[in-house]
Amino acid sequence: MENIRVRIAPSPSGNLHVGTARTALFNYLFAKKNNGKFVLRIEDTDLERSNEAYTQNIYDSLKALGLNWDEGPDVGGQYGPYQQSERFDIYPKYVQKLIESGHAYECFCTTEELEAEKEEAIANKKAYIYSEKCRNLTPEQRAKYIAEGRKPVVRFAVPKDREIVFNDLVKGELKFDSNLIGDFVIQKSNNTPTYNFAVVIDDMEMKISHIIRGEDHISNTAKQILIYEALGAEVPKFGHLGMILATDRSKLSKRHGATAVSDFVKQGYLTEALVNFVALLGWAPSDGEEIKTVDAIAADFDITKISSSNSVFEYDKLNWMNGQYIKKMDIKELTEKIKPYIEEAYNINELTPAQLEHMVEVTREPLTILSDIVKDIPFFFGEDVEFEGTVKEDVLATETSQKVLNKVLEDVDGWDFNNLEDLHEKLGELRTFFKEQGIKPKETMWAIRAAITGRTHGADISAVINIIGKDKFTNRIKKALIS
Ligand code: GLU
């Protein structure tokens, strides 16, 4: 079987976008399913837009999602360097080879000349294609331009009347007419390669067998195939993924919400949920069970079954899925992950580690993102309670509530605050006691809950009492009594 080698080649001009994460994931899954290698190449040749902090963000985000690479700038590998800016000396010899074989040529056209060509095309209502003015320069013309101090770019000589056909793994057969592709630049006047050229050389040298990327690269693929052919290299297989759209069907962007993996993480999304959700943007599980680990997805993954259309990024669905992961997560792990959000809002030292874990356990149920916990837990901290809405007037001030709270205060010394079971039982006895007097059990509980949390709903009340302890509990009950 051929050696499967795939890659992800992000440009570090921003934090890792969820779209790139999806591309990375599909490459990773394809490699995993086929015993292949997953390569990370950092395409940082655009030195002005590239930034080391973004490179670090790419590493961190991919790792957080569990998409570890077999070869890459940090881990090395047989076909390095894996950072494009360290590969500058590799490209010129291939440019030379193409010039010598007649597949490329130097172009001395100035910006003004090219602009004039473009304007003419616009005036004639034609799509602009380079005139090929420099395709067949005589040695004298060339010498004259050089003497004038002009610095040439190198253009690829696109063959005429060629139908470029390839069988896309996702989209099926795709065809391009070479007459519609102008002679494109492969090396800039400062001798650095353009994207379309560097990517071919790198993929070729790194022996990449399958290129899986976004469909925004389809038109580049036609050009890249021509370069492979001109170099006499084997053309890899291509698979182009549909775009990721927002629910309004426009391109997913920051105005819709977070788009960078690290921003999702900051907001309190779990990377396990995020990676699972992202897999569903184009891929569907064969058993219909959407919640799956990456390993389970890899086992079920088939690139040819990926949807060729665009996918819609539904934040609501992601929220739901994240909630599912929060519910199922190991409590110790969840507590560690959620701690920073609690720490930012409250004095976490008021709780022992065991109490903190218990609080997380009893408040995790309704959470969709980790940061949601902050609004559900203020009453675990501090002495006083903030009352929600009209809870004080409408719930606490009633005769029934006052009766309940007075009785609680009478009984409290007999409660074992360190024993959840006992608290549970005592509350049960209280409910029965008042039920016999015609007070609904839920009214009994409202009174207590309102007095100690300021709310009429929330986490299991015995657990809340157990966590806040006798002093806070008693003080709050006393404060709720109208003397
Ligand atoms: N650096 C390119 C990008 O980020 C890579 C495209 C490719 O996969 O060929 O879009």
Side-chain angles (χ1 to χ4, degrees):
M1 201 176 107
E2 83 183 295
N3 276 334
I4 304 273
R5 291 177 56 79
V6 293
R7 57 33 168 209
I8 175 87
S11 303
S13 53
N15 289 335
L16 190 82
H17 190 275
V18 275
T20 316
R22 197 252 323 237
T23 307
L25 173 63
F26 285 3
N27 276 283
Y28 175 88
L29 294 169
F30 184 71
K32 219 166 158 59
K33 177 75 189 264
N34 296 292
N35 275 323
K37 293 274 185 256
F38 174 51
V39 177
L40 171 65
R41 182 172 69 234
I42 297 290
E43 297 206 331
D44 60 346
T45 34
D46 185 344
L47 297 173
E48 263 167 40
R49 293 182 60 214
S50 300
N51 168 328
E52 276 203 24
Y54 292 140
T55 302
Q56 192 58 45
N57 181 275
I58 292 170
Y59 293 158
D60 294 344
S61 303
L62 289 173
K63 278 187 194 154
L65 294 171
L67 306 179
N68 297 316
W69 46 99
D70 301 298
E71 297 168 27
D74 55 339
V75 293
Q78 209 182 329
Y79 303 101
Y82 293 90
Q83 186 135 357
Q84 226 169 34
S85 58
E86 290 172 19
R87 301 176 61 83
F88 278 126
D89 55 343
I90 294 175
Y91 310 108
K93 64 173 183 284
Y94 288 106
V95 172
Q96 219 38 51
K97 194 173 161 191
L98 289 181
I99 293 178
E100 278 159 22
S101 61
H103 288 103
Y105 59 90
E106 289 174 316
C107 167
F108 293 88
C109 291
T110 61
T111 319
E112 293 74 30
E113 284 169 320
L114 295 174
E115 274 311 311
E117 283 188 1
K118 273 180 206 160
E119 271 164 32
E120 199 184 318
I122 292 169
N124 295 329
K125 298 197 165 49
K126 281 192 177 150
Y128 171 67
I129 287 184
Y130 172 62
S131 66
E132 299 176 16
K133 206 151 97 187
C134 294
R135 227 201 224 211
N136 296 302
L137 292 182
T138 62
E140 293 74 31
Q141 285 169 312
R142 182 176 180 273
K144 181 174 158 275
Y145 284 142
I146 289 178
E148 284 172 13
R150 293 197 193 193
K151 293 235 177 302
V153 299
V154 177
R155 286 181 186 272
F156 187 81
V158 175
K160 298 282 172 253
D161 306 324
R162 262 282 317 276
E163 189 175 54
I164 304 154
V165 187
F166 66 97
N167 217 334
D168 192 275
L169 293 164
V170 178
K171 304 217 170 251
E173 191 176 81
L174 295 174
K175 291 181 185 171
F176 292 87
D177 176 357
S178 73
N179 293 341
L180 301 177
I181 305 173
D183 287 355
F184 55 92
V185 175
I186 57 172
Q187 182 175 274
K188 300 176 208 165
S189 57
N190 65 2
N191 294 331
T192 61
T194 57
Y195 155 71
N196 270 317
F197 188 66
V199 80
V200 169
I201 302 306
D202 291 345
D203 286 334
M204 183 179 82
E205 287 214 331
M206 294 179 185
K207 302 209 172 354
I208 300 301
S209 63
H210 293 72
I211 295 179
I212 303 165
R213 61 185 170 196
E215 70 175 29
D216 47 335
H217 283 292
I218 285 188
S219 59
N220 288 328
T221 300
K223 294 176 185 166
Q224 292 169 18
I225 288 176
L226 291 174
I227 301 175
Y228 280 104
E229 289 178 354
L231 289 168
E234 198 182 325
V235 181
K237 298 198 173 58
F238 291 92
H240 289 93
L241 310 170
M243 302 314 289
I244 299 178
L245 305 179
T247 35
D248 62 6
R249 297 294 189 276
S250 66
K251 200 172 160 227
L252 189 71
S253 75
K254 282 196 181 129
R255 76 190 158 87
H256 300 108
T259 53
V261 168
S262 48
D263 285 339
F264 282 102
V265 172
K266 238 181 259 161
Q267 284 183 13
Y269 287 91
L270 297 171
T271 47
E272 294 86 340
L274 193 57
V275 77
N276 188 164
F277 172 77
V278 159
L280 299 172
L281 299 171
W283 171 82
S286 58
D287 61 1
E289 177 49 65
E290 290 192 319
I291 301 218
K292 279 200 162 55
T293 62
V294 172
D295 282 348
I297 294 170
D300 193 25
F301 187 75
D302 180 349
I303 182 107
T304 62
K305 298 235 166 77
I306 284 185
S307 158
S308 60
S309 37
N310 294 332
S311 312
V312 176
F313 194 102
E314 292 177 62
Y315 285 87
D316 287 349
K317 181 166 177 181
L318 171 61
N319 287 343
W320 168 79
M321 192 167 260
N322 204 58
Q324 297 301 309
Y325 274 84
I326 290 178
K327 284 191 227 316
K328 283 192 310 195
M329 193 168 215
D330 171 76
I331 185 62
K332 292 223 170 336
E333 208 183 328
L334 180 62
T335 306
E336 273 316 301
K337 289 233 157 93
I338 214 164
K339 223 165 134 175
Y341 300 95
I342 302 173
E343 262 168 344
E344 213 182 287
Y346 305 104
N347 176 11
I348 206 165
N349 297 325
E350 286 185 38
L351 302 179
T352 64
Q355 286 172 328
L356 180 69
E357 194 176 298
H358 191 194
M359 179 187 78
V360 174
E361 177 65 70
V362 296
T363 48
R364 63 154 65 173
E365 179 63 28
L367 304 180
T368 54
I369 54 176
L370 299 178
S371 52
D372 281 349
I373 197 170
V374 171
K375 65 178 181 0
D376 296 340
I377 57 170
F379 48 85
F380 286 103
F381 303 91
E383 290 308 318
D384 292 329
V385 170
E386 240 183 71
F387 294 93
E388 230 176 44
T390 55
V391 166
K392 206 167 185 173
E393 301 79 21
D394 296 347
V395 182
L396 278 185
T398 65
E399 203 182 314
T400 308
S401 289
Q402 292 294 309
K403 219 193 249 180
V404 171
L405 298 179
N406 269 307
K407 167 86 172 126
V408 168
L409 214 51
E410 277 169 29
D411 291 357
V412 83
D413 283 336
W415 294 12
D416 182 356
F417 278 80
N418 295 321
N419 184 339
L420 192 58
E421 268 311 299
D422 185 67
L423 291 170
H424 206 73
E425 260 172 46
K426 293 292 183 331
L427 290 174
E429 286 165 15
L430 213 57
R431 278 195 297 267
T432 315
F433 175 83
F434 283 110
K435 199 172 166 206
E436 280 160 9
Q437 299 186 22
I439 295 174
K440 289 191 196 116
K442 67 176 180 201
E443 281 184 273
T444 305
M445 299 316 284
W446 275 340
I448 300 173
R449 188 185 284 283
I452 64 167
T453 72
R455 304 165 181 213
T456 50
H457 58 274
D460 172 56
I461 198 69
S462 327
V464 174
I465 298 172
N466 175 242
I467 296 166
I468 64 172
K470 185 170 182 181
D471 289 349
K472 268 186 195 168
F473 176 80
T474 317
N475 288 340
R476 288 180 189 177
I477 297 287
K478 280 183 189 156
K479 276 192 193 153
L481 285 171
I482 307 164
S483 46

